[in-house]
């Protein structure tokens, strides 16, 4: 069986160095907001090319904290509208709602599944104060025009970079494109830890200070609470693991791109629609998502031949029971995408044999 994702293969090389580091960790007995976290924060900020990184509990809270902090800083207020692609993981939209803001779901497109400048422009109104751009499946698209648009209209531009660690657009990495970005280190992400984890990256000094307090009960100094904060901190033990993996991220992403390029070149089947990719580093292929009309039949065909696939995602956010208030929205592109998408196996440790087999079976379908 070719698994959709083999976390064993991804994490096993780090087991021994990690266990070695744990000996020292036990001796120090500083488990939260300690040196290991601040050391990783410095490294990840440098990697993304920003001044600040704050480790938080997970990707959803990274984004929610950004919105809440901008409210505290007076740049957003209750009920302000935020443009967000309708085609995204539900966490993007929840982060806006959880911060007391109003998501405006923007239709996407079949070529890169992301926000486009035209769609952003078309959805713009006086009530919109921010854009949450999602680098879905690991691809940063149309960033230059969206950045300029946000500047022109005085909008905050936030990145949901949960799938795009290491993606580069022009001369900027994901995480350094907007005013701030939220990352997830969920195990299956391109940079994943051994549990939940997340981070905010930003060049905004005030935002960083605010989130630094907000993630820790709103406290800058122990027992002095200046905001109504939450408890959302990246554990030092996860920071150790992430520090071991970070140096290999670019290499792993390059491998992912290599596999994707091979898929794009060698999968030739009119029943299988391939993703758009310009061959640059703007895509880190967190997922390799194809579309096909009869998804169930396609998945079964592959499964019967030993290839596991997943669907990201089967139900559009506005069709989720939790979002019944959006059920009447008409977003036909987003809906069709959710009906047709399938993610093929893709992870850095795939063998050539596995890659070839996926290609052969998909072509046979
Ligand atoms: C994974 C993910 C999140 C949420 O991250 P968690 O760490 O699971 O909370 C947010 N947005 C996108 C696009 C994601 O893929």
């Amino acid at each position: 069986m070719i698994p959709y994702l083999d976390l064993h293969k991804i994490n096993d090389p780090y087991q021994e160095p990690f266990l070695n580091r744990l000996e020292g960790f036990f001796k120090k007995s500083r488990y939260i907001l300690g040196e290991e976290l601040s050391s990783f924060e410095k490294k990840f900020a440098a990697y993304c090319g920003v001044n600040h990184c704050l480790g938080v509990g997970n990707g959803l809270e990274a984004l929610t904290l950004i919105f809440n902090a901008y409210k505290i800083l007076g740049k957003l207020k209750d009920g302000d509208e935020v443009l967000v692609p309708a085609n995204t993981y539900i966490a993007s939209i929840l982060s806006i709602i959880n911060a007391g803001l109003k998501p405006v779901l923007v239709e996407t497109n079949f070529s890169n599944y992301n926000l486009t400048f035209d769609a952003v422009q078309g959805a713009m109104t006086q009530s919109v104060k921010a854009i949450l751009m999602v680098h879905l499946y690991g691809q940063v698209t149309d960033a230059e025009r969206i950045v300029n648009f946000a500047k022109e209209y005085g909008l905050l531009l936030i990145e949901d970079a949960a799938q795009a660690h290491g993606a580069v657009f022009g001369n900027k990495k994901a995480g350094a494109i907007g005013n701030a970005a939220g990352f997830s280190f969920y195990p299956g992400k391109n940079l994943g830890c051994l549990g939940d984890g997340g981070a905010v990256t930003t060049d905004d000094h005030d935002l960083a200070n605010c989130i630094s307090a907000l993630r820790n009960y709103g406290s800058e100094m122990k027992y002095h609470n200046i905001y109504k904060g939450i408890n959302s901190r990246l554990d030092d033990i996860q920071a150790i693991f992430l520090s071991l993996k970070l140096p290999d991220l670019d290499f792993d992403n390059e491998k992912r791109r290599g596999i994707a390029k091979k898929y794009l070149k060698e999968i030739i089947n009119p029943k299988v629609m391939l993703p758009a990719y310009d061959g640059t580093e703007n895509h880190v292929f967190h997922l390799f998502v194809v579309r096909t009309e009869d998804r169930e039949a396609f998945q079964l065909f592959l499964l019967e031949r030993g290839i596991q696939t997943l669907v990201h995602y089967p139900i559009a956010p506005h069709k989720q029971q939790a979002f019944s208030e959006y059920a009447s929205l008409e977003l036909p592109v987003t809906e069709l995408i959710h009906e047709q998408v399938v993610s093929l196996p893709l992870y850095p440790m795939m063998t050539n044999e596995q890659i070839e087999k996926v290609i052969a079976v998909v072509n046979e379908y």
Side-chain angles (χ1 to χ4, degrees):
M1 174 67 76
I2 301 177
Y4 161 74
L5 173 70
D6 193 338
L7 281 179
H8 265 296
K9 283 233 171 84
I10 289 174
N11 286 331
D12 279 357
Y14 303 98
Q15 185 178 343
E16 203 180 305
F18 181 60
L19 292 177
N20 290 339
R21 290 284 300 280
L22 283 185
E23 274 178 47
F25 185 64
F26 265 88
K27 288 197 185 101
K28 266 192 237 150
S29 72
R30 173 91 200 251
Y31 306 136
I32 292 171
L33 297 180
E35 281 166 27
E36 298 293 353
L37 177 60
S38 50
S39 153
F40 171 71
E41 288 174 336
K42 281 198 194 86
K43 284 181 226 156
F44 195 63
Y47 175 82
C48 293
V50 293
N51 290 323
H52 305 279
C53 166
L54 295 144
V56 298
N58 54 63
L60 171 60
E61 287 171 352
L63 294 168
T64 311
L65 282 164
I66 293 169
F67 288 120
N68 274 326
Y70 274 128
K71 282 171 77 181
I72 288 172
L73 296 172
K75 297 205 174 173
L76 292 173
K77 57 178 187 332
D78 273 335
D80 278 350
E81 293 186 358
V82 182
L83 300 183
V84 61
N87 178 47
T88 184
Y89 181 54
I90 198 148
S92 319
I93 298 167
L94 283 174
S95 73
I96 299 169
I97 293 174
N98 290 352
L101 305 169
K102 191 167 170 260
V104 177
L105 307 191
V106 180
E107 184 64 302
T108 182
N109 65 87
F110 288 124
S111 75
N112 59 42
Y113 307 111
N114 277 342
L115 280 184
T116 61
F117 168 76
D118 293 331
V120 165
Q121 200 177 32
M124 183 62 196
T125 66
Q126 289 271 314
S127 327
V128 171
K129 301 293 185 241
I131 302 171
L132 178 57
M133 73 186 297
V134 183
H135 309 316
L136 199 69
Y137 309 146
Q139 189 177 28
V140 183
T141 55
D142 228 355
E144 201 178 335
R145 291 199 297 168
I146 293 174
V147 167
N148 289 336
F149 182 85
K151 280 202 186 116
E152 192 183 328
Y153 286 87
L155 308 176
L156 292 169
L157 180 63
I158 314 300
E159 296 168 70
D160 180 340
Q163 301 189 353
H165 320 68
V168 183
F169 189 95
N171 57 0
K172 286 200 170 165
K173 281 228 174 80
I177 293 166
N179 298 84
F183 284 90
S184 165
F185 304 124
Y186 179 82
K189 303 287 160 99
N190 286 28
L191 181 64
C193 61
L194 298 172
D196 274 313
V200 172
T201 56
T202 184
D203 273 328
D204 185 334
H205 185 72
D206 294 337
L207 183 80
N209 277 343
C210 186
I211 291 177
S212 169
L214 273 184
R215 71 172 170 179
N216 187 32
Y217 301 107
S219 153
E220 273 175 350
M221 206 206 309
K222 203 162 186 174
Y223 305 132
H224 293 255
N225 302 81
I226 45 181
Y227 313 120
K228 296 182 190 79
I230 59 171
N231 176 358
S232 181
R233 305 170 296 213
L234 179 65
D235 285 328
D236 277 53
I237 201 167
Q238 301 293 0
I240 292 174
F241 196 68
L242 291 166
S243 291
L244 290 170
K245 285 180 86 173
L246 182 59
D248 299 328
L249 178 59
D250 284 341
F251 180 78
D252 285 352
N253 282 340
E254 198 49 50
K255 285 212 136 177
R256 287 175 182 271
R257 278 191 287 265
I259 298 167
K261 282 178 187 166
K262 202 166 156 67
Y263 280 170
L264 286 168
K265 194 163 151 234
E266 297 181 22
I267 293 178
I268 302 168
N269 183 336
K271 284 189 280 186
V272 180
M273 292 162 271
L274 299 171
Y277 172 47
D278 64 8
T280 68
E281 292 185 357
N282 75 353
H283 207 328
V284 291
F285 286 96
H286 172 57
L287 303 173
F288 191 91
V289 175
V290 301
R291 284 191 296 127
T292 185
E293 272 178 21
D294 191 348
R295 174 165 69 199
E296 249 176 66
F298 180 66
Q299 284 195 285
L300 188 64
F301 184 87
L302 267 64
L303 190 63
E304 282 171 352
R305 285 152 188 82
I307 297 169
Q308 189 192 25
T309 55
L310 287 185
V311 173
H312 300 89
Y313 299 92
I315 305 172
H318 68 286
K319 295 293 181 193
Q320 295 283 358
Q321 194 181 338
F323 285 164
S324 54
E325 66 269 40
Y326 297 110
S328 62
L329 287 180
E330 276 182 40
L331 296 157
V333 178
T334 295
E335 284 161 32
L336 196 62
I337 287 171
H338 283 77
E339 274 168 39
Q340 296 187 332
V341 286
V342 180
S343 305
L344 299 182
L346 195 159
Y347 52 92
M349 285 74 198
M350 274 182 92
T351 63
N352 253 335
E353 204 185 340
Q354 290 176 316
I355 299 164
E356 305 268 345
K357 178 163 175 195
V358 172
I359 292 166
V361 172
V362 172
N363 284 342
E364 203 186 305
Y365 170 70

